[in-house]
Amino acid sequence: MSHSLATALPSAETGPVICVVGARPNFMKMAPILRAMAAHAPPLPMLLVHTGQHYDKDMSDRLFEDLRLPRPDVNLEVGSGTHAIQTAEVMKRFEPIVEGYNPSCVVVVGDVNSTLACALVAVKKGVPVVHIEAGLRSYDRAMPEEINRILTDQISDRLYTTERTAEANLMREGIPPSRVCFAGNVMIDSVVFGRANARSAKDTLQASNMDAAVLLHPLGYGVVTLHRPSNVDHPDALRALLGVLAEVAVRLPLVFALHPRTRSNIDRFGLLDLIDPARMVLLPPQGYLEMLGLMADATLVLTDSGGLQEETTALGVPCLTLRENTERPITVEQGTNTLVGRDREAILAAVQEILAGRGKRGRLPEFWDGHAAERITADLFQWLTPRPANQAVGSV
Ligand code: UD1
């Protein structure tokens, strides 16, 4: 476990705000928060803890560079494991950090195992928990993230939401409205921040030593990502999806950025033959600026990621989500997202619509404006400021 105690040492009374990241989708949510905290007057003392849930250069270090995240002050280096082992290991290693720093609060983002594990440690130590991206619900408890969301929200003291439906979900679960603050989407802060420096699709392909000829197709190209256990952990499901993608690729060349679990499952299940390299380019996990560039210029995106559903809405690019449900309904109602599940007919019909120029253009949801982190930081500062015991704080 590596420590560097340089940045924000705790004072005798209240220590820093501990900000937790663990896995890839956390990094783009936390980066704008850290920037806003540093820019706040007065700056909020903070300590960045990386649990090490994601540890590869491709899954972690490159994103830190692209998002200009500071080096973590503490890396718990938990690595991979079953859900129980990973969650327990984060908890065991995070507890002494909370004891040592006496934080004013612990800020967690999103819905990965590290989010829940650190929230649980903090609440049991009597430290306030702040959850950014609270209240999203797929109502599918087979998703590990759904369990993480429900439990994290139940033990959080301050909950920042990205869309209005999230607040209604929280009310249904008995969370007092005074704890909830609709502040907008920090994910989009990162899109706004990164857009100017996004890498071109051509540079990205060439950097991976891939032939960029697919980019010359008159209809453009599609971007694919897949990593949900329900889509990639069962041979039949993965075979069926790769079969449909092969059919799509006949119409539109595809660029497929492979998550490590998807890569290893394609090999393990012997499915590489389903991929025609002339029509479907396989890439390793991409950096943030590469993904932004690939998506921004794409004709469409096919994905089961939560983050990509939001990023494509921000970029105005049609997105087909290969899931039966979404915890981000605003991307369907107002954005560019369409749920197509794993149904072959539905996927091919939706692709056809987009290629015929009838894809969703969408509009930007409320507060998806690049300033969510500033709103959160201003509110958090107020919330943390000691006040007379009889003075309650309401939502902003
Ligand atoms: C995790 C999150 C998921 C998020 C996804 C983004 C949970 C429950 N899931 O899923 O919500 O959408 O991250 O990627 O927290 N691996 C590597 N290198 C790494 C990390 C993982 O090769 O740096 C491989 C390992 O084989 C590991 C597997 O990927 O076992 C899965 O990693 P894990 O963190 O357990 O879950 P993800 O599927 O990445």
Side-chain angles (χ1 to χ4, degrees):
M1 187 158 89
S2 51
H3 277 248
S4 96
L5 308 182
T7 35
L9 287 170
S11 73
E13 287 160 23
T14 25
V17 173
I18 290 188
C19 296
V20 176
V21 292
R24 186 168 64 176
N26 290 164
F27 306 143
M28 47 294 259
K29 292 168 194 164
M30 193 57 88
I33 293 288
L34 296 185
R35 263 195 302 280
M37 282 184 179
H40 189 269
L44 267 75
M46 63 199 161
L47 188 89
L48 180 60
V49 174
H50 189 340
T51 66
Q53 177 176 342
H54 284 174
Y55 46 87
D56 276 359
K57 183 158 186 5
D58 286 347
M59 298 294 282
S60 182
D61 301 3
R62 262 171 92 181
L63 286 113
F64 266 69
E65 286 160 26
D66 285 352
L67 293 157
R68 311 235 184 100
L69 271 161
R71 259 174 64 89
D73 299 292
V74 178
N75 191 327
L76 303 178
E77 293 170 3
V78 296
S80 300
T82 64
H83 285 266
I85 289 172
Q86 194 172 59
T87 308
E89 211 47 60
V90 173
M91 290 182 71
K92 269 166 63 182
R93 297 182 192 200
F94 187 56
E95 186 174 47
I97 305 299
V98 173
E99 282 167 353
Y101 282 93
N102 184 29
S104 55
C105 65
V106 168
V107 176
V108 294
V109 293
D111 55 16
V112 303
N113 287 342
S114 301
T115 307
L116 173 61
C118 293
L120 204 43
V121 169
V123 72
K124 293 218 171 182
K125 289 274 165 206
V127 173
V129 176
V130 175
H131 187 203
I132 295 173
E133 199 190 82
L136 296 182
R137 297 290 180 269
S138 64
Y139 292 96
D140 174 5
R141 290 202 178 194
M143 277 180 87
E145 294 82 2
E146 183 75 354
I147 309 297
N148 293 341
R149 291 179 198 120
I150 294 168
L151 298 180
T152 303
D153 286 340
Q154 279 296 327
I155 55 176
S156 291
D157 297 275
R158 194 79 181 134
L159 299 93
Y160 294 104
T161 56
T162 53
E163 57 175 280
R164 299 268 179 202
T165 53
E167 182 158 357
N169 293 335
L170 293 169
M171 302 301 103
R172 267 196 292 279
E173 291 170 17
I175 310 281
S178 60
R179 289 193 193 165
V180 182
C181 175
F182 171 50
N185 196 337
V186 285
M187 215 45 195
I188 308 309
D189 293 9
S190 278
V191 173
V192 171
F193 179 80
R195 182 106 203 239
N197 297 319
R199 307 259 148 73
S200 75
K202 190 167 164 228
D203 285 352
T204 297
L205 261 57
Q206 284 174 348
S208 291
N209 295 321
M210 302 308 289
D211 185 356
V214 287
L215 304 177
L216 301 175
H217 193 278
L219 294 174
Y221 65 94
V223 171
V224 183
T225 78
L226 281 180
H227 74 283
R228 297 263 154 236
S230 55
N231 280 339
V232 304
D233 281 0
H234 304 283
D236 291 347
L238 186 53
R239 183 180 297 106
L241 270 174
L242 291 178
V244 181
L245 291 176
E247 288 189 69
V248 173
V250 172
R251 302 288 324 276
L252 181 75
L254 298 176
V255 177
F256 192 168
L258 283 170
H259 184 283
R261 88 186 299 132
T262 312
R263 160 101 264 170
S264 81
N265 287 349
I266 289 176
D267 291 340
R268 201 154 58 94
F269 304 150
L271 301 175
L272 205 54
D273 288 353
L274 290 174
I275 292 162
D276 173 357
R279 297 179 185 279
M280 201 189 298
V281 177
L282 299 186
L283 294 178
Q286 290 301 299
Y288 184 71
L289 299 175
E290 283 82 3
M291 259 335 265
L292 265 191
L294 280 171
M295 288 191 287
D297 292 336
T299 304
L300 57 85
V301 171
L302 288 143
T303 190
D304 60 8
S305 151
L308 264 65
Q309 294 173 49
E310 298 186 335
E311 288 161 350
T312 46
T313 279
L315 295 168
V317 174
C319 177
L320 300 179
T321 295
L322 302 162
R323 287 173 45 191
E324 304 299 333
N325 50 53
T326 179
E327 60 288 332
R328 296 163 163 88
I330 205 161
T331 60
V332 175
E333 287 150 20
Q334 296 183 16
T336 59
N337 192 16
T338 306
L339 292 182
V340 287
R342 282 201 295 260
D343 182 78
R344 175 182 173 274
E345 312 300 326
I347 296 168
L348 295 176
V351 169
Q352 185 53 39
E353 278 296 288
I354 295 168
L355 295 185
R358 292 190 290 269
K360 282 187 178 180
R361 290 279 149 243
R363 64 185 154 95
L364 272 182
E366 186 183 5
F367 280 178
W368 289 30
D369 57 358
H371 298 289
E374 291 156 36
R375 283 189 287 271
I376 289 172
T377 303
D379 177 82
L380 188 61
F381 183 78
Q382 241 196 344
W383 187 74
L384 286 172
T385 305
R387 55 200 160 265
N390 60 355
Q391 197 185 316
V393 177
S395 71
V396 179

